[in-house]
């Protein structure tokens, strides 16, 4: 059985594998050029002595946590490369770790700026930290059978397929929870964190299991732990980060009044510090707001960030703004608005909503609900929408999110009461016409909860008013291409690889042509809800495209097409940048995005 923690520093190992595979051998990223090396050397020379000292203190801290780390093969390999490039000898453990952490920081920076790079990092970390199907313990399957029995299903025995599906659920949940940590630690929110701190946080997190909100402590994670990784709480992490950085750099901790947290700082255990920070925020303990009455407070751009930080301290917002460095950086970019509702004493001190500005534009709107969505009480009011309306056109994007969350809340109430959902509600939940917009970092968890026990094909039968039967609906391209079925609807993306390939009457997804240069004689779907990507098409005389396209249309290399009938409605952009003649082409009545006709001559 594969174990997750069979040697030290698996995250370290993963990142170094990425570095050696990525930077040394150019498997996924470009090799660092000589110019990049010279630039790095130039940057290093302008570090202040204080900054250098703080970086070195971080390396010493990591050495104290793992005295053998500096002699591991992956660190030594990085040290050897650094010595060759700089012409120096690194013999002290802190110097070696400092060099190695610097290379990890470059990998993290790449992942922060490139989705592809981030996906590569995630894949490597998943291989190290996420259970494999054979690792799922028998006790987990026994628990599922016990739950089924307690629900009145009798003595249930799991067959092989059911075990595979259960294991897949465990694996997916672990992957998603691990990905959230990667997303946070390479995001702009944590750019101010030194690499040694991120390493300490991540490796500490991988040892934690379920959080007990009443005691503020975590269980220990083992090779048989099937639960997802612990939740990312931005505010708690920011609080821990500020304290640990100050302690490592021997700065004052006099403003920290929590004796339990101070005690945990002595051993600098991530689990104990993170647990106490969550406990201080009230995470895991039930509570509600007595009223929505309160007031908005504006913190001006460039102003002192500490009043904002202090107003959020211990309030369980989940906002990374509670960290001093993050608050300072965010206020340097724009104004910051917080809505505070009244507490039991009638004082407006309970943060409920944050609006962060980037210059004069709304950058994000966050609440104190799960995943930083607006809480259900504030959603039932016009407090946030009224405020956003005060920004004029800049608030238009937000208003859609506000409307969506109110509609989702109404649907959730029907779901809790066991009431049937209507067609328009299913269209909304299944995101047939457009994605549901929310305020959190992640998709609103209520969507999956409501849909979890619903039959997808039966829902689409209702959505299509019974015009299509259940057996005429395919849920993947692979299912649709099955020649033995007469599918008319495809829910998923479809790639056309040859001109003879069949297309559905209705496609809920993207339609793309790959290496097919002619669309002549092809019968397109009546409607495509996603994008229509026909960049390889250069021949389209007499072609009739779908009546409606929900996303963008790309015909970038089409120069002329006598008799081409474009969709009546294009809900996104229409890109005809190479078209030279529009003669004989029937154009849409509505294009809601932009229309490119850069090369048009006639």
């Amino acid at each position: 059985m594969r174990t997750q923690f069979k040697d030290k520093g698996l995250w370290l190992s993963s990142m170094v594998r990425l570095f050696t595979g990525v930077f040394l051998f150019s498997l996924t990223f470009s090799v660092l050029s000589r110019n990049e090396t010279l630039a790095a050397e130039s940057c290093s020379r302008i570090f202040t002595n204080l900054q250098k000292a703080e970086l070195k203190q971080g390396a010493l801290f990591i050495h104290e946590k793992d005295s053998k780390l500096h002699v591991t093969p992956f660190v030594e390999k990085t040290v050897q490369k650094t010595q060759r490039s700089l012409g120096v000898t690194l013999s002290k453990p802190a110097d070696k770790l400092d060099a190695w952490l610097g290379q990890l920081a470059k990998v993290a920076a790449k992942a922060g700026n490139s989705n592809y790079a981030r996906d590569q990092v995630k894949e490597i970390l998943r291989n190290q930290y996420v259970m494999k199907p054979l690792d799922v313990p028998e006790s987990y399957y026994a628990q599922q059978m016990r739950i089924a029995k307690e629900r009145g299903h009798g003595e249930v025995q799991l067959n092989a397929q059911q075990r595979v599906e259960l294991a897949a659920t465990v694996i997916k949940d672990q992957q998603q929870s691990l990905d959230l940590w990667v997303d946070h630690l390479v995001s702009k929110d944590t750019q101010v964190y030194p690499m040694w701190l991120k390493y300490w946080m991540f490796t500490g997190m991988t040892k934690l299991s379920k959080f007990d909100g009443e005691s503020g402590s975590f269980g220990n994670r083992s090779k048989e732990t099937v639960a997802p990784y612990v939740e990312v709480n931005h505010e708690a992490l920011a609080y821990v980060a500020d304290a640990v950085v100050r302690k490592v750099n021997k700065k004052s901790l006099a403003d920290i009044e929590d004796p339990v947290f101070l005690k945990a700082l002595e051993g600098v255990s991530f689990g104990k510090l993170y647990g106490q920070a969550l406990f201080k925020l009230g995470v895991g303990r039930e509570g509600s707001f007595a009223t929505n009455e309160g007031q908005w407070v504006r913190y001006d751009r460039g102003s002192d960030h500490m009043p904002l930080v202090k107003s959020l301290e211990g309030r369980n917002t989940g906002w990374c703004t509670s960290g001093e460095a993050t608050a300072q950086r965010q206020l340097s970019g724009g104004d910051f608005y917080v809505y505070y509702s009244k507490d039991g004493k009638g004082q407006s001190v309970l943060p409920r909503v944050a609006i962060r500005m980037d210059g004069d534009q709304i950058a994000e709107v966050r609440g104190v609900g799960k995943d930083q969505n607006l809480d259900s009480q504030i959603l039932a009011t016009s407090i946030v929408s009224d405020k956003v309306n005060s920004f004029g056109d800049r608030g238009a994007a937000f208003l859609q999110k506000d409307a969506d969350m109110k509609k989702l809340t109404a649907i959730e109430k029907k779901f809790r009461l066991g009431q049937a959902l209507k067609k328009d509600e299913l269209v909304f939940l299944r995101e047939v016409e457009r994605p549901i917009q929310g305020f959190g970092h992640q998709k609103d968890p209520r969507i999956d909860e409501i849909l979890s026990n619903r039959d997808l094909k039966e829902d689409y039968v209702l959505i299509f008013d019974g015009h299509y039967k259940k057996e005429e609906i395919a849920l993947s391209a692979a299912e649709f291409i099955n020649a033995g079925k007469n599918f008319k609807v495809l829910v998923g993306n479809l790639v056309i690889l040859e001109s003879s390939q069949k297309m559905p009457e209705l496609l809920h997804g993207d339609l793309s042509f790959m290496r097919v240069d002619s669309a002549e004689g092809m019968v397109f779907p009546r409607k495509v809800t996603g994008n229509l990507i026909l960049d390889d098409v250069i021949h389209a005389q007499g072609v009739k495209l779908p009546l409606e396209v929900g996303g963008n249309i790309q015909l970038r290399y089409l120069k002329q097409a006598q008799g081409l009938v474009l969709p009546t409605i294009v809900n996104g952009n229409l890109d005809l940048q190479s078209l030279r003649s529009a003669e004989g082409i029937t154009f849409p009545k509505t294009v809601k995005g932009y229309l490119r006709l850069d090369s048009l001559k006639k």
Side-chain angles (χ1 to χ4, degrees):
M1 182 177 291
R2 185 184 181 94
T3 62
Q4 291 173 277
F5 307 106
K6 63 183 180 180
D7 59 46
K8 295 180 180 179
L10 285 179
W11 182 77
L12 173 153
S13 175
S14 300
M15 295 299 282
V16 172
R17 284 177 53 198
L18 180 64
F19 168 69
T20 55
V22 173
F23 287 99
L24 296 182
F25 303 112
S26 299
L27 293 180
T28 53
F29 308 126
S30 61
V31 177
L32 287 175
S33 66
R34 176 59 179 164
N35 287 339
E36 288 174 313
T37 302
L38 292 174
E41 294 173 11
S42 175
C43 287
S44 69
R45 285 193 294 269
I46 64 173
F47 274 146
T48 65
N49 289 334
L50 178 59
Q51 289 171 320
K52 287 182 178 180
E54 290 182 349
L55 290 173
K56 188 61 63 66
Q57 286 298 121
L60 286 170
F61 168 73
I62 296 298
H63 179 59
E64 290 174 2
K65 289 294 177 183
D66 187 348
S67 61
K68 304 292 185 182
L69 182 58
H70 68 287
V71 295
T72 52
F74 31 81
V75 174
E76 288 286 9
K77 187 175 293 186
T78 302
V79 170
Q80 291 170 9
K81 182 177 183 295
T82 303
Q83 291 179 150
R84 287 195 301 270
S85 64
L86 298 181
V88 297
T89 300
L90 302 177
S91 58
K92 294 181 179 180
D95 291 335
K96 291 183 176 183
L97 291 176
D98 194 28
W100 171 73
L101 289 166
Q103 297 297 353
L104 284 190
K106 293 178 182 178
V107 175
K110 286 274 189 179
N113 294 321
S114 163
N115 289 334
Y116 176 76
R118 186 179 305 188
D119 288 343
Q120 296 302 305
V121 172
K122 288 179 179 178
E123 187 61 32
I124 291 175
L125 294 177
R126 287 173 179 178
N127 287 336
Q128 292 288 355
Y129 290 104
V130 174
M131 274 186 162
K132 303 301 184 289
L134 293 179
D135 292 339
V136 179
E138 286 298 321
S139 58
Y140 173 71
Y141 299 117
Q143 180 188 33
Q144 304 312 304
M145 291 186 284
R146 184 172 63 254
I147 292 173
K149 182 179 179 179
E150 291 173 352
R151 292 177 178 174
H153 296 291
E155 295 291 343
V156 176
Q157 295 298 318
L158 299 175
N159 60 37
Q161 181 60 35
Q162 289 171 324
R163 291 167 71 94
V164 168
E165 291 174 356
L166 286 170
T169 299
V170 169
I171 291 169
K172 183 177 179 181
D173 286 348
Q174 288 192 357
Q175 287 177 342
Q176 291 177 337
S177 60
L178 191 73
D179 289 352
L180 292 177
W181 281 90
V182 177
D183 288 336
H184 181 59
L185 291 176
V186 301
S187 70
K188 292 181 179 179
D189 288 342
T190 59
Q191 281 181 343
V192 294
Y193 294 178
M195 193 64 218
W196 64 261
L197 179 68
K198 293 183 180 182
Y199 164 74
W200 172 74
M201 284 181 166
F202 189 91
T203 54
M205 175 278 300
T206 60
K207 301 171 185 176
L208 306 179
S209 184
K210 186 178 179 180
F211 177 66
D212 183 349
E214 297 303 319
S215 65
S217 61
F218 290 96
N220 294 322
R221 196 172 191 89
S222 73
K223 64 182 182 181
E224 294 190 343
T225 301
V226 296
Y229 284 94
V230 298
E231 291 186 6
V232 180
N233 185 294
H234 297 200
E235 181 179 7
L237 286 174
Y239 184 71
V240 171
D242 280 342
V244 172
V245 169
R246 281 191 283 162
K247 176 178 173 58
V248 170
N249 292 321
K250 297 179 173 56
K251 294 184 178 180
S252 174
L253 300 171
D255 61 319
I256 299 178
E257 300 176 352
D258 183 352
V260 179
F261 191 83
L262 285 171
K263 182 68 175 177
L265 269 175
E266 293 178 6
V268 202
S269 162
F270 175 75
K272 291 181 179 179
L273 289 168
Y274 190 40
Q276 184 57 25
L278 292 172
F279 180 80
K280 182 178 180 180
L281 297 174
V283 174
R285 288 177 287 175
E286 292 297 326
S288 61
F289 298 99
T291 180
N292 290 321
E293 293 182 15
Q295 65 178 0
W296 286 96
V297 175
R298 184 180 76 179
Y299 298 90
D300 293 334
R301 180 177 187 175
S303 63
D304 182 10
H305 61 286
M306 288 309 298
L308 172 58
V309 172
K310 290 297 183 182
S311 76
L312 304 180
E313 192 173 53
R315 297 299 186 183
N316 191 24
T317 62
W319 305 336
C320 57
T321 313
S322 62
E324 293 181 24
T326 302
Q328 186 175 27
R329 178 171 58 83
Q330 291 180 342
L331 276 179
S332 70
D335 295 342
F336 201 99
Y337 297 83
V338 178
Y339 183 79
Y340 300 92
S341 62
K342 293 180 179 180
D343 62 7
K345 298 178 181 179
Q347 297 178 323
S348 298
V349 294
L350 302 178
R352 302 285 295 282
V353 184
I355 299 179
R356 181 174 67 83
M357 307 296 291
D358 185 2
D360 63 350
Q361 299 295 318
I362 297 177
E364 59 181 345
V365 179
R366 294 283 178 256
V368 295
K370 185 175 175 59
D371 295 327
Q372 297 185 34
N373 286 288
L374 298 182
D375 66 81
S376 58
Q377 289 175 254
I378 208 79
L379 272 173
T381 74
S382 64
I383 290 171
V384 182
S385 57
D386 287 347
K387 181 63 177 178
V388 173
N389 275 328
S390 71
F391 291 98
D393 293 340
R394 295 174 294 169
F398 164 78
L399 292 177
Q400 184 65 67
K401 297 179 181 181
D402 184 51
D404 281 3
M405 290 298 96
K406 286 183 176 178
K407 185 168 186 176
L408 182 58
T409 298
I411 293 174
E412 182 191 16
K413 289 180 179 179
K414 294 184 67 174
F415 166 70
R416 302 292 181 200
L417 295 172
Q419 298 175 353
L421 300 183
K422 297 179 181 179
K423 172 187 171 180
D424 68 298
E425 293 167 333
L426 290 173
V427 169
F428 176 77
L429 279 176
R430 291 294 183 188
E431 301 178 297
V432 173
E433 297 177 345
R434 59 175 179 79
I436 296 173
Q437 303 295 315
F439 297 106
H441 287 299
Q442 305 298 319
K443 181 179 179 180
D444 194 305
R446 294 177 295 174
I447 299 170
D448 288 339
E449 181 185 5
I450 296 171
L451 295 176
S452 61
N453 292 319
R454 299 189 65 88
D455 186 291
L456 180 57
K457 288 190 177 184
E458 288 181 356
D459 278 355
Y460 273 98
V461 170
L462 293 173
I463 289 171
F464 299 139
D465 294 318
H467 294 313
Y468 297 102
K469 300 177 181 178
K470 187 175 179 179
E471 56 269 22
E472 293 176 327
I473 301 172
L475 299 181
S476 69
E479 184 181 11
F480 174 77
I481 294 171
N482 185 348
K485 299 286 185 180
N486 186 28
F487 292 117
K488 297 181 179 180
V489 178
L490 170 58
V491 180
N493 300 326
L494 181 63
V495 178
I496 301 298
L497 301 174
E498 53 186 28
S499 58
S500 61
Q501 191 170 333
K502 177 186 173 183
M503 288 181 274
E505 292 180 14
L506 182 61
L507 176 62
H508 178 43
D510 296 337
L511 177 60
S512 307
F513 277 36
M514 183 178 293
R515 297 189 298 275
V516 177
D517 62 3
S518 175
E520 295 174 7
M522 300 184 73
V523 179
F524 281 80
R526 177 173 52 83
K527 180 179 179 180
V528 174
T529 65
N531 300 311
L532 185 58
I533 304 172
L534 307 175
D535 283 342
D536 289 345
V537 173
I538 57 176
H539 303 292
Q541 285 78 5
V543 171
K544 291 185 178 181
L545 294 181
L547 290 174
E548 181 177 353
V549 173
N552 304 319
I553 298 181
Q554 294 178 193
L555 278 162
R556 294 176 177 171
Y557 300 109
L558 186 69
K559 296 182 179 179
Q560 57 184 12
Q562 186 80 22
L564 171 65
V565 179
L566 292 165
T568 303
I569 300 174
V570 179
N571 288 301
N573 306 318
L574 176 54
D575 192 339
L576 295 165
Q577 59 182 278
S578 298
L579 190 71
R580 296 180 178 177
S581 173
E583 191 171 25
I585 296 178
T586 302
F587 277 79
K589 292 183 178 179
T590 302
V591 178
K592 294 185 178 179
Y594 64 69
L595 171 62
R596 290 195 64 175
L597 290 166
D598 308 47
S599 305
L600 194 64
K601 303 294 183 183
K602 185 176 182 181

